Amino acid sequence: LGRNYYGELLGNGQNSKVLVPTMPTGVGPVIDATGGGQRWCFLLKNGSVKCAGRGNYGQLGNGSYTTGPFKSFQNVVGTK
């Protein structure tokens, strides 16, 4: 739930407000999630990690310090 200004909540390419609890789609079975500071990351059942949102300090783990927004899921470097 939230503002979703940087697309961090769903990683679906959109940045509209999310007013009801919604699972992200297209990332596979999610084991765990962490978020805050305009980004969210998801640990998937296959061991990979995907993140979406703002990446100005490298917090998405995709090897970039670009602010973004990254409104679609980014693969975290070093995971499956």
Side-chain angles (χ1 to χ4, degrees):
L1 298 171
R3 186 172 173 196
N4 198 37
Y5 182 77
Y6 291 96
E8 67 273 17
L9 297 179
L10 299 176
N12 64 1
Q14 304 296 314
N15 65 341
S16 53
K17 292 178 183 174
V18 178
L19 302 176
V20 296
T22 307
M23 285 296 294
T25 58
V27 294
V30 175
I31 301 295
D32 202 0
T34 185
Q38 301 165 330
R39 57 100 184 116
W40 272 90
C41 294
F42 300 91
L43 172 61
L44 306 183
K45 187 175 181 178
N46 68 4
S48 67
V49 177
K50 295 190 181 276
C51 298
R54 192 172 187 187
N56 57 321
Y57 295 108
Q59 65 265 47
L60 296 183
N62 63 353
S64 173
Y65 289 88
T66 303
T67 297
F70 291 97
K71 294 186 276 186
S72 60
F73 287 109
Q74 305 292 301
N75 292 314
V76 174
V77 176
T79 66
K80 292 183 179 181

